[in-house]
Amino acid sequence: MEETKSDLQRVFRHAKLVGILLMILLAVLYLASGCYSVKPEQRGVVKRFGRVVNDNVLPGIHYHWPWPIESVLRARTTEIRSLSISFGSQKGSEGQTAEASGSYGEVVVNTEEDPEKDVPIWAQETDRFVPVVSSELEEGQAAELLTGDENLVLATLLIQYTIKQPKSYLYNAIDTGKVLNCIVQDATISKIAEMSVDDVLTTGRFEIQMKLKEQIQTRADSYDLGIRFTSVQIQNIQPPAEAAEAFREVASAREDQHRLMQQAEGDRNRRLPEARANANKLRNEAAAYAKEVVEMAHGEAERFLMGWDEYRKAKTVTAHRLYMEAMEEILPRVRKLVSDPEAEGPTPFPQNELPP
Amino acid sequence: MIKKTLSIVGIVVVAVYILLTAFVAVDVTETVVITQFGKPVRVVTEPGLTVKWPDPLQTVIRLDKRLQPLESNVSEFLTQDKKNLVMSNFILWRIVDATRFIQSVKGVTSAERRLSELVASELGMTIGTYSLSSFLTTDEGGTKIPEICDKVTKTSREYALREFGIEVMGVRLRRLSFPEQNLRSVYARMSAERERMAKKYRAEGEEKAAKIRAETDKEVREILAVAYRESQVTRGRGDAESIRIYAEAFEHDPDFFKLTRTLDAYRKCLDEKTTLILSADSPFFQFLECPPGGH
């Protein structure tokens, strides 16, 4: 009986020791659950009983009081997020457009690769207000846009942004993605509504992007969303399918206009040098002619004067000689009829020797 | 011994219960309303830890005070100039007066419904005072859409704040279009406009090309005419010069000139086809019948 009691006492003492050890272990584990890490691309926000006590925890290993006293949320601040919004169905079907205009693209959360989830179980967020934070492209669908001159256009915008203020981003709106969507849609509708369809489709693209970025940044700041827009891009902007043919026709007409003018211009560039060449030829020919006649005149004059010099010395003889020489040259090749001036009647012509 | 243990356990359970229900953690995203037997007695908007009487004396109602977007349904509105516009909008709102919110609209769903109705009627009234060209314009002043939205925001904000404890942060357009049944005619008008433009471009192209060609013609003819004039002048100058040279030389002895020039002309003009009738008493035959010295 005595032995049994002491045995029991021994066992009980051991159990007590084990119990105390277990308690200490549990307490240590509980306290250790306050360790958490913030990755280089993240910033942490620590809440104590729901109140934000530190809204910019830098990357590294940190400690917070364990649940339920403190909790931490991390946001990837360096990452550039994308939001794509399509205005109007790109296929251009009316029914689809009407249906699609009411819905939003789902916010895709890839649970496997989401770095937020890639932390040890003891460091995971347990807050019930976990906002959807995603690196995936968010997509929104909206209705087609009306331009200032009452034309419809379809467009796709790609908006990129980063988190400027983690606390504001995480806690100021229930669905930040949807609020962004709202801001962008309103700004786009307003901007397009004061531009002509030609400007929208051609030269206005840059202006739209610039103005939109300015406008949505102002709006986002006024709602304190903690977001900074890095770029607004019009990825695609086009007329609806029902009128696309006519728009293409205008483009081809513009090309035709250009082509016609180019042809005329080309023609001009060919004909003007040709005309100048002809003009030059005319001038040169005239100059050559003038030179020719003057030189000829000089030559002949010189020749005449030289002959005359000699002629002067013996006028009668030379004149007679010149006359005779000429006769000698001419008479052998012509047909000759010699008539007697004293004979009566016409000189008889040898009929068969007349020229035809 | 057992009694003592039981009472300790009892005290601990009660203490834990009081601790859990008397301390309330208010999140940064929420407003907490503390009610006493269902009647709101205190509103906590500051996040952090707060104390109340334990349940069931006082209970908490947690309300999300963050900004939330609400999409309205698509509906048709009539502008001042009786044009139909299809519109839908976003309402960005948040709860600011939690007590009023709980008392007037109870839950978020009914709040959203009443907010939609309120904004829709305000929107309808405001749009009725603007013409279509206030929405769609290419004029300098720009569109009045932001102005209209701000107006609706302002009036519905006042009402919602007073009645529902809700602050309307903004009424923003989500869709602005023409009614479905009008779209076909809009597309037709767009196509017609484009066709007119295409025709204009082509006609302009032809006009400009014709103008270029006409100008080219003119310039070509000008160039040739000027060249012709200049060449004629050059030729004339040459002719004049040669005439002067001839005259100067021949002036020395007109008789000799006549002789040589005439003989040259004979040489050129009288050829094989010429039949010359010579008179027997021409000077050429002077010695033919009467040799010199024989008379």
Side-chain angles (χ1 to χ4, degrees):
Chain A
M1 200 60 201
E2 286 279 309
E3 276 181 14
T4 322
K5 198 182 172 187
S6 70
D7 274 358
L8 265 172
Q9 267 175 345
R10 219 179 302 130
V11 169
F12 190 65
R13 223 179 19 246
H14 276 299
K16 212 168 163 184
L17 199 70
V18 168
I20 288 164
L21 276 174
L22 264 172
M23 292 284 273
I24 291 169
L25 191 70
L26 278 173
V28 165
L29 274 176
Y30 172 68
L31 288 174
S33 73
C35 280
Y36 67 98
S37 71
V38 176
K39 295 192 167 179
E41 73 275 12
Q42 299 173 326
R43 290 292 180 277
V45 178
V46 179
K47 286 194 293 189
R48 184 182 302 148
F49 293 121
R51 189 160 58 91
V52 175
V53 288
N54 188 350
D55 66 355
N56 193 18
V57 182
L58 299 174
I61 299 283
H62 300 277
Y63 183 78
H64 67 71
W65 286 100
W67 183 87
I69 303 163
E70 286 189 343
S71 63
V72 67
L73 257 189
R74 302 168 195 79
R76 279 170 294 180
T77 48
T78 51
E79 181 188 73
I80 293 176
R81 286 140 203 271
S82 301
L83 168 70
S84 165
I85 300 181
S86 296
F87 292 91
S89 162
Q90 298 298 313
K91 284 164 217 117
S93 158
E94 288 172 32
Q96 273 179 331
T97 308
E99 270 169 33
S101 65
S103 70
Y104 282 86
E106 302 269 306
V107 176
V108 189
V109 184
N110 194 333
T111 42
E112 258 98 62
E113 281 169 28
D114 196 347
E116 245 98 328
K117 301 283 195 296
D118 191 19
V119 286
I121 191 79
W122 47 268
Q124 251 185 33
E125 176 58 61
T126 49
D127 197 287
R128 68 189 169 93
F129 289 112
V130 181
V132 184
V133 178
S134 162
S135 62
E136 300 288 316
L137 182 75
E138 288 179 37
E139 281 180 32
Q141 255 297 341
E144 64 277 5
L145 295 158
L146 265 177
T147 64
D149 49 1
E150 296 177 31
N151 280 255
L152 290 156
V153 289
L154 314 177
T156 306
L157 294 185
L158 182 70
I159 318 281
Q160 292 188 317
Y161 61 95
T162 56
I163 298 171
K164 184 172 64 176
Q165 231 320 317
K167 185 189 163 195
S168 304
Y169 177 77
L170 292 172
Y171 300 121
N172 275 1
I174 286 183
D175 185 346
T176 309
K178 204 163 162 187
V179 174
L180 277 187
N181 233 311
C182 149
I183 291 171
V184 174
Q185 285 193 34
D186 179 71
T188 313
I189 290 171
S190 300
K191 184 65 208 147
I192 301 295
E194 57 186 23
M195 293 178 77
S196 74
V197 67
D198 292 294
D199 287 349
V200 168
L201 292 178
T202 55
T203 52
R205 193 177 270 238
F206 183 68
E207 189 201 325
I208 297 171
Q209 293 179 164
M210 222 175 55
K211 286 276 165 61
L212 273 186
K213 194 181 159 198
E214 221 169 86
Q215 174 81 40
I216 60 179
Q217 185 67 62
T218 314
R219 281 275 154 73
D221 289 348
S222 79
Y223 296 134
D224 196 16
L225 296 177
I227 276 170
R228 193 168 56 83
F229 291 97
T230 53
S231 85
V232 173
Q233 267 176 40
I234 298 174
Q235 286 194 311
N236 175 21
I237 194 156
Q238 63 189 64
E242 286 82 352
E245 185 55 41
F247 275 83
R248 268 196 294 279
E249 182 61 16
V250 171
S252 88
R254 211 179 271 138
E255 263 163 42
D256 281 354
Q257 181 193 37
H258 193 67
R259 186 176 47 74
L260 279 170
M261 280 166 65
Q262 285 293 308
Q263 276 176 356
E265 206 60 59
D267 207 38
R268 177 187 172 80
N269 288 343
R270 188 178 51 75
R271 282 179 62 198
L272 280 185
E274 201 179 275
R276 276 194 290 270
N278 284 341
N280 226 21
K281 197 175 152 203
L282 265 179
R283 273 194 210 93
N284 283 339
E285 272 174 7
Y289 167 83
K291 184 82 184 158
E292 209 172 72
V293 291
V294 168
E295 286 307 318
M296 272 165 67
H298 271 303
E300 277 176 47
E302 208 89 326
R303 177 180 155 207
F304 172 82
L305 287 176
M306 278 154 107
W308 176 64
D309 258 356
E310 295 310 314
Y311 163 80
R312 262 195 311 188
K313 290 170 189 162
K315 275 190 182 175
T316 327
V317 179
T318 312
H320 194 74
R321 185 182 57 78
L322 286 175
Y323 174 74
M324 283 305 156
E325 272 175 14
M327 287 304 122
E328 275 173 5
E329 216 177 291
I330 296 160
L331 290 180
R333 64 171 185 248
V334 300
R335 277 175 299 176
K336 299 159 284 279
L337 291 173
V338 180
S339 68
D340 189 352
E342 273 126 62
E344 294 294 317
T347 310
F349 270 92
Q351 290 301 318
N352 56 339
E353 285 182 34
L354 271 178
Chain B
M1 172 76 179
I2 290 171
K3 241 182 197 168
K4 199 177 156 198
T5 317
L6 273 178
S7 62
I8 287 170
V9 167
I11 287 164
V12 166
V13 166
V14 169
V16 165
Y17 175 76
I18 288 169
L19 208 69
L20 281 180
T21 60
F23 288 94
V24 181
V26 180
D27 197 80
V28 65
T29 60
E30 44 180 32
T31 297
V32 165
V33 181
I34 295 167
T35 58
Q36 195 166 304
F37 304 120
K39 183 171 160 280
V41 288
R42 196 153 60 94
V43 178
V44 188
T45 48
E46 273 299 302
L49 208 57
T50 191
V51 197
K52 68 168 179 69
W53 288 106
D55 284 356
L57 295 175
Q58 288 190 331
T59 50
V60 294
I61 298 172
R62 293 174 187 270
L63 293 173
D64 200 319
K65 67 175 178 189
R66 290 179 292 176
L67 184 70
Q68 42 191 313
L70 166 65
E71 291 172 26
S72 80
N73 292 325
V74 178
S75 41
E76 261 183 60
F77 295 96
L78 210 58
T79 62
Q80 195 185 28
D81 47 351
K82 306 292 171 239
K83 298 268 169 58
N84 283 306
L85 271 181
V86 168
M87 273 197 208
S88 66
N89 50 274
F90 288 103
I91 305 160
L92 295 168
W93 65 283
R94 63 177 193 195
I95 300 165
V96 286
D97 188 342
T99 321
R100 188 161 300 268
F101 183 82
I102 288 168
Q103 285 170 345
S104 60
V105 289
K106 311 285 189 297
V108 170
T109 325
S110 74
E112 286 184 337
R113 188 170 44 77
R114 296 184 64 174
L115 208 52
S116 296
E117 285 165 9
L118 167 69
V119 169
S121 79
E122 290 292 342
L123 207 57
M125 250 157 38
T126 313
I127 288 168
T129 62
Y130 283 91
S131 62
L132 181 66
S133 60
S134 310
F135 291 87
L136 305 174
T137 179
T138 49
D139 292 348
E140 238 358 71
T143 176
K144 297 241 169 53
I145 292 173
E147 184 190 312
I148 293 162
C149 285
D150 287 347
K151 229 177 200 178
V152 175
T153 305
K154 195 162 162 279
T155 48
S156 41
R157 181 208 296 252
E158 279 164 17
Y159 185 85
L161 201 59
R162 204 170 56 231
E163 298 296 321
F164 316 135
I166 285 171
E167 186 183 11
V168 176
M169 302 288 285
V171 174
R172 300 278 152 232
L173 277 196
R174 191 174 118 222
R175 176 174 187 167
L176 174 68
S177 188
F178 291 123
E180 192 98 2
Q181 64 270 21
N182 293 12
L183 285 182
R184 202 160 295 283
S185 69
V186 171
Y187 291 138
R189 179 174 49 74
M190 283 172 73
S191 298
E193 261 175 32
R194 292 298 117 184
E195 275 155 25
R196 206 172 58 228
M197 272 179 75
K199 266 187 203 138
K200 194 180 128 226
Y201 278 131
R202 291 224 164 83
E204 268 177 17
E206 271 159 25
E207 186 197 330
K208 280 178 186 158
K211 198 177 152 201
I212 292 171
R213 272 181 228 281
E215 220 156 76
T216 310
D217 274 346
K218 190 188 124 211
E219 272 173 51
V220 163
R221 287 170 78 163
E222 251 174 38
I223 288 168
L224 290 178
V226 166
Y228 182 76
R229 177 173 58 76
E230 282 176 8
S231 71
Q232 288 308 100
V233 168
T234 310
R235 276 169 197 263
R237 210 171 276 136
D239 285 342
E241 177 74 4
S242 71
I243 287 166
R244 189 186 57 77
I245 292 163
Y246 282 127
E248 228 165 55
F250 301 152
E251 226 15 39
H252 287 287
D253 189 338
D255 287 337
F256 181 60
F257 166 69
K258 263 185 220 157
L259 171 69
T260 51
R261 190 67 188 82
T262 313
L263 291 178
D264 275 349
Y266 287 167
R267 281 199 187 93
K268 272 187 194 149
C269 299
L270 306 176
D271 59 6
E272 294 83 357
K273 291 174 194 136
T274 319
T275 304
L276 212 56
I277 301 164
L278 296 168
S279 170
D281 59 357
S282 82
F284 187 75
F285 297 113
Q286 189 188 345
F287 300 111
L288 193 67
E289 282 173 27
C290 37
H295 47 84

